[in-house]
Amino acid sequence: MLQSDIKEQLKSVFANLKSSFVLRVERDQAYAYADEYTAFVEDFAATSDKLSVEYVAGSDFRFNIIRDGSDTGVRFCGIPNGHEFTSLLLAILNADGQGKNLPDKAITARIKALKGEVRLQTYVSLTCTNCPDVVQALNVMALVNPNVTSETIDGALYQDEVTALNIQAVPSVYVNGQLLHVGRGDLGTLLQELEDTVGTTHDESAAKVEHQCDVVVLGGGPAGATAAIYSARKGLKVAIVAGRIGGQINDTTGIENITSVPEITGVQLSANLRSHIERYDVDIYDNRKIVGVDLDGKLKRVFVRGGEEFIAPAVIIATGAGWRRLGLPDEALYLGHGIHFCPHCDGPFYQGKKVAVIGGGNSGVEAAIDLAGICSHVTLIEYGDAMRADGVLQEKVRSLGNVDIRMMSQTTAVVGDGKQLRGLVIKDRKTEKEQEEAFDGVFVQIGLSPNTDPFKGNLPLSARKEIVVDASNRTAVPGVYAAGDVTTVPYKQIMIAMGEGAKAALSAFDDRVRGIV
């Protein structure tokens, strides 16, 4: 049942619904949770005269969302409580034409161009912080394309299916019965994967669109958002091209080191960034993947998957970084099947089991501390002779009786049976001796790798593949600037990225005034 304060909030949220919605419930009244789940949908529907419930016989408990008599293609197996409650709310609002996460014209055209019947099933955990982004993106696809259905499945209720599919990470997305995606993802990434898997009728050459502006900012994290805001405040026409606004910080649960903001979640900070950007005349093009650039000449060109081109005399690159992988043979084979990056999402799969955490920085030590409360034993593997984590974290992890810390240790191989990881080969860097050790799961926390692939051959990169910038964030190419984690600036922090984004924008404006761009 829904609490009274939540009911009141829902009445406000649904006050302006235009369409009529039915939650068409399939249920078995003998199902263990039938009464509890029935009370939930009844309470939910009671918050608006535009919502109602109808029941048909079925197994366990699941429901479709029907809008004005037509199936939206959005379906929930079980009750979307926890983090997925927002997914249910947005499914209703988006189906009604409301909600800020509806795709723009270009992305909508690509979704409609997906070939054939597309049946999507997403297995989630209601405690997973990354699952809602994936669920909401796929639900939007179902709302846009009548040939797409999106079914969200609470893995805790369907253990037989989870076991049969050998699911050990969430979210796990299947398309027409085949595994499509595991782990965090956004609309742009998922759409690209679907296009590659089921095919598309989208013709990039025929759909070519040029967007012209004064400054194009690549990336929507703290650096990119700040650069866009500073540029717009100078009266310039600005476009921001990104996978998602917020970038990496969407995947951060708690942030406590932004001056004057004692504590904030990554999701809330991302929302604040978007809200701040939208105060200015900035065109936001999110869910995009940059596939190439032409930085020669006065006007620079940025090419995006789907056929769009962005043309501007100034380009600010703030594409950030992504999780660094081990770079070992067979690593990709076991992603989601023993090798993971998010302890919050996938740690519960290893309750009572033995796991390893690779990396002794803040993220690695925090992961070891979290997993120690779930797993029987945690081995923390650090390459160097000292951990780099903050002192308070080191003190905490050393106090835990079920955590073993291995210094001067290098992971040299992953071991498995082709379907599931079984362990690691670890080398003692002092003795050079290698030893195979059994683990049920491994969580990789070895830092970030800069997202510079589209710029290789166009800009000088460091040995770490970072874009080389000077003290004013200028690159070697006039009119091209870079900021944040994608650059050689030391200390990858949100505060530093914001400052670097401001510097890049001010340098670009200064060069414009002086006639350089």
Side-chain angles (χ1 to χ4, degrees):
M1 296 176 63
L2 292 176
Q3 296 177 350
S4 58
D5 58 334
I6 295 178
K7 292 179 186 178
E8 291 304 312
Q9 291 174 30
L10 289 179
K11 289 178 182 179
S12 176
V13 169
F14 293 144
N16 296 317
L17 287 179
K18 300 181 291 293
S19 303
S20 294
F21 293 91
V22 175
L23 304 184
R24 182 172 292 161
V25 177
E26 297 178 31
R27 66 174 177 178
D28 178 354
Q29 290 186 303
Y31 181 56
Y33 302 102
D35 291 343
E36 177 185 344
Y37 289 176
T38 298
F40 176 96
V41 295
E42 292 285 355
D43 282 355
F44 185 85
T47 60
S48 171
D49 59 6
K50 293 289 187 179
L51 298 173
S52 61
V53 184
E54 67 178 39
Y55 298 95
V56 296
S59 61
D60 48 69
F61 196 100
R62 60 192 70 201
F63 64 91
N64 290 28
I65 297 177
I66 309 299
R67 177 190 58 210
D68 293 334
S70 298
D71 196 333
T72 62
V74 176
R75 181 181 180 93
F76 292 92
C77 294
I79 288 298
N81 260 323
H83 290 295
E84 292 302 340
F85 187 62
T86 302
S87 299
L88 174 58
L89 266 62
L90 280 174
I92 298 290
L93 292 174
N94 288 341
D96 199 50
Q98 304 180 51
K100 291 186 177 181
N101 63 331
L102 289 169
D104 56 43
K105 183 177 179 181
I107 299 298
T108 296
R110 288 173 56 192
I111 295 172
K112 289 182 176 179
L114 291 170
K115 284 186 176 180
E117 296 291 328
V118 181
R119 183 170 60 89
L120 298 165
Q121 294 175 297
T122 307
Y123 290 84
V124 304
S125 165
L126 299 184
T127 62
C128 169
T129 56
N130 289 325
C131 291
D133 287 341
V134 171
V135 168
Q136 290 160 26
L138 298 179
N139 286 349
V140 163
M141 292 190 201
L143 295 174
V144 168
N145 186 333
N147 294 321
V148 175
T149 59
S150 174
E151 183 177 57
T152 302
I153 303 169
D154 180 357
L157 299 178
Y158 293 86
Q159 284 296 315
D160 290 346
E161 293 181 24
V162 168
T163 300
L165 294 170
N166 192 29
I167 293 173
Q168 290 191 309
V170 288
S172 287
V173 182
Y174 289 77
V175 57
N176 298 335
Q178 299 298 315
L179 183 63
L180 174 76
H181 179 93
V182 177
R184 61 172 62 92
D186 52 47
L187 176 60
T189 299
L190 293 160
L191 177 55
Q192 292 158 27
E193 292 173 344
L194 279 171
E195 288 173 331
D196 293 340
T197 302
V198 304
T200 177
T201 60
H202 183 73
D203 185 344
E204 289 198 3
S205 59
K208 180 179 177 181
V209 177
E210 293 185 350
H211 306 282
Q212 298 199 9
C213 52
D214 297 320
V215 179
V216 58
V217 178
L218 309 182
T226 306
I229 290 167
Y230 266 66
S231 296
R233 285 175 61 85
K234 295 296 185 182
L236 302 178
K237 181 175 175 56
V238 182
I240 186 167
V241 181
R244 55 180 175 166
I245 300 301
Q248 296 172 44
I249 61 174
N250 286 284
D251 307 319
T252 304
T253 52
I255 301 166
E256 300 177 353
N257 57 356
I258 297 179
T259 306
S260 83
V261 184
E263 185 176 358
I264 191 170
T265 66
V267 171
Q268 184 59 56
L269 180 55
S270 295
N272 290 352
L273 289 179
R274 179 180 282 274
S275 177
H276 199 170
I277 294 168
E278 290 175 344
R279 282 178 168 234
Y280 299 96
D281 188 19
V282 176
D283 294 323
I284 299 176
Y285 298 89
D286 52 3
N287 298 308
R288 263 64 173 189
K289 180 180 181 181
I290 300 163
V291 295
V293 294
D294 180 358
L295 304 179
D296 295 332
K298 194 76 171 177
L299 291 177
K300 322 299 182 186
R301 290 179 178 267
V302 178
F303 306 101
V304 172
R305 178 162 176 163
E308 293 174 285
E309 293 182 17
F310 295 84
I311 305 169
V315 175
I316 300 175
I317 301 170
T319 46
W323 291 111
R324 190 183 299 277
R325 296 188 179 184
L326 297 170
L328 298 174
D330 289 339
E331 179 181 9
L333 180 64
Y334 298 114
L335 292 180
H337 297 284
I339 296 179
H340 309 273
F341 298 95
C342 180
H344 304 291
C345 301
D346 302 331
F349 286 98
Y350 294 92
Q351 185 170 1
K353 297 184 178 181
K354 182 180 179 182
V355 301
V357 174
I358 303 177
N362 281 347
S363 60
V365 174
E366 287 174 349
I369 293 170
D370 289 342
L371 291 166
I374 301 172
C375 305
S376 62
H377 193 272
V378 179
T379 299
L380 179 62
I381 301 170
E382 166 57 39
Y383 183 84
D385 59 1
M387 288 190 288
R388 294 162 284 110
D390 293 343
V392 291
L393 293 175
Q394 292 193 41
E395 183 179 348
K396 173 64 176 177
V397 76
R398 292 183 190 281
S399 72
L400 300 175
N402 63 336
V403 177
D404 176 27
I405 301 172
R406 308 271 186 88
M407 309 302 297
M408 293 293 287
S409 298
Q410 179 181 359
T411 304
T412 58
V414 297
V415 180
D417 59 10
K419 294 183 178 180
Q420 178 63 40
L421 179 87
R422 299 302 179 194
L424 300 172
V425 176
I426 302 171
K427 181 172 75 173
D428 185 321
R429 296 184 58 235
K430 291 182 179 179
T431 65
E432 296 295 312
K433 181 180 179 180
E434 291 188 334
Q435 182 175 344
E436 182 177 323
E437 186 167 349
F439 294 104
D440 298 300
V442 174
F443 292 81
V444 182
Q445 302 284 305
I446 56 174
L448 301 167
S449 178
N451 296 322
T452 53
D453 283 351
F455 316 111
K456 291 177 180 177
N458 293 276
L459 295 169
L461 304 180
S462 70
R464 294 173 60 86
K465 299 181 181 179
E466 300 164 324
I467 296 174
V468 178
V469 294
D470 65 14
S472 300
N473 297 85
R474 295 180 175 92
T475 71
V477 177
V480 181
Y481 314 83
D485 289 3
V486 77
T487 73
T488 50
V489 66
Y491 311 119
K492 314 303 187 186
Q493 297 288 312
I494 293 171
M495 287 279 289
I496 292 172
M498 288 179 173
E500 294 292 298
K503 284 167 56 183
L506 293 172
S507 294
F509 183 74
D510 186 48
D511 288 349
R512 181 184 180 90
V513 171
R514 294 189 293 129
I516 296 175
V517 299

